[in-house]
Amino acid sequence: MANFVEIRPREQKQALLELDGISRTTIEAHYRLYQGYVSKRNEILSKLEEVDLEAANQVYSDLRALKVDLTFAIGGIKNHEIYFEHLGGEGGNPSGAIAGLIERDLGSSDTWRADLKASGMAARGWAWTAYDWDEGRLFNYVGDAQNTFPVWNATPLVALDVYEHAYFLDYQTDRAAYIEAFFRNLDWSVVNGWIDAYRIPTA
């Protein structure tokens, strides 16, 4: 395989240690998990450079195991980078471009919030608000793991981590209370920056 480039975890923002309702202890432990995904991504890609392609098999093979686990590691990286990057704000109702998209595609901020919260309660790992480039609209999706269920050609703009590690130290099994804390800490300027960077149509 072609040589790969090792990546490093992103720096932890100071604002993440000062969230409303999500403790510093939780964030620091959570961030270490993200760092682990980066480390495993690098390790798996290194091993893939030497894997025996002739031994590939759908029941079990080193190639299959490494490539499946690579999707889990990369999913863990991408999901957490969105999650950490858009926390640290003042929450409240969506504002700017994302507010317009939500109103256009989901009816209102209250409808969006209720649906994303319910999606987070139903999911086993993640809930996302993503822009589907084929349908030209926002939708709230659920995922049961870092690598399920990706929707091709959709760009996540809000990533809600509902794995227990995201909230158990602060809320034990009260996931609903954690989700409310998540909403209180969203930074809409970050989300709107992504909309601009990706040139998502807002008209």
Side-chain angles (χ1 to χ4, degrees):
M1 295 183 65
N3 291 335
F4 77 97
V5 176
E6 284 199 358
I7 62 173
R8 297 175 58 84
R10 293 183 181 177
E11 292 294 323
Q12 182 176 283
K13 299 190 304 182
Q14 179 62 31
L16 291 173
L17 304 179
E18 302 168 353
L19 300 179
D20 176 12
I22 303 175
S23 68
R24 180 182 186 129
T25 300
T26 289
I27 289 295
E28 289 177 337
H30 200 169
Y31 214 82
R32 287 193 294 272
L33 288 175
Y34 156 66
Q35 292 171 322
Y37 287 122
V38 173
S39 176
K40 285 300 178 183
R41 176 263 186 199
N42 292 336
E43 179 183 341
I44 292 168
L45 284 173
S46 176
K47 290 182 176 180
L48 280 170
E49 290 192 328
E50 301 177 358
V51 74
D52 182 1
L53 299 181
E54 296 299 322
N57 183 276
Q58 78 275 17
V59 177
Y60 173 79
S61 62
D62 289 342
L63 180 69
R64 173 181 168 77
L66 289 167
K67 289 216 169 185
V68 169
D69 289 344
L70 180 63
T71 68
F72 192 86
I74 291 176
I77 294 168
K78 293 179 183 291
N79 290 329
H80 284 98
E81 287 182 347
I82 297 169
Y83 177 81
F84 289 127
E85 186 63 25
H86 70 9
L87 289 180
E90 297 181 357
N93 287 328
S95 59
I98 186 62
L101 288 172
I102 286 172
E103 183 174 354
R104 184 193 72 186
D105 297 337
L106 299 170
S108 69
S109 60
D110 288 342
T111 301
W112 163 78
R113 183 187 299 262
D115 188 81
L116 185 61
K117 182 175 183 178
S119 298
M121 295 300 294
R124 296 172 183 169
W126 290 88
W128 303 278
T129 300
Y131 181 81
D132 186 315
W133 290 90
D134 297 314
E135 295 196 7
R137 57 160 295 165
L138 294 180
F139 194 78
N140 291 329
Y141 299 95
V142 301
D144 283 349
Q146 305 295 353
N147 53 353
T148 62
F149 308 96
V151 176
W152 300 117
N153 209 27
T155 300
L157 295 171
V158 177
L160 168 58
D161 190 345
V162 292
Y163 275 104
E164 283 81 359
H165 63 242
Y167 62 87
F168 195 82
L169 290 175
D170 297 325
Y171 295 98
Q172 288 76 56
T173 59
D174 192 354
R175 182 185 291 187
Y178 155 72
I179 293 174
E180 290 299 326
F182 170 83
F183 285 133
R184 292 198 303 272
N185 289 282
L186 282 170
D187 187 337
W188 294 115
S189 67
V190 171
V191 177
N192 286 322
W194 291 333
I195 291 171
D196 288 341
Y198 301 140
R199 298 183 179 179
I200 293 175
T202 57

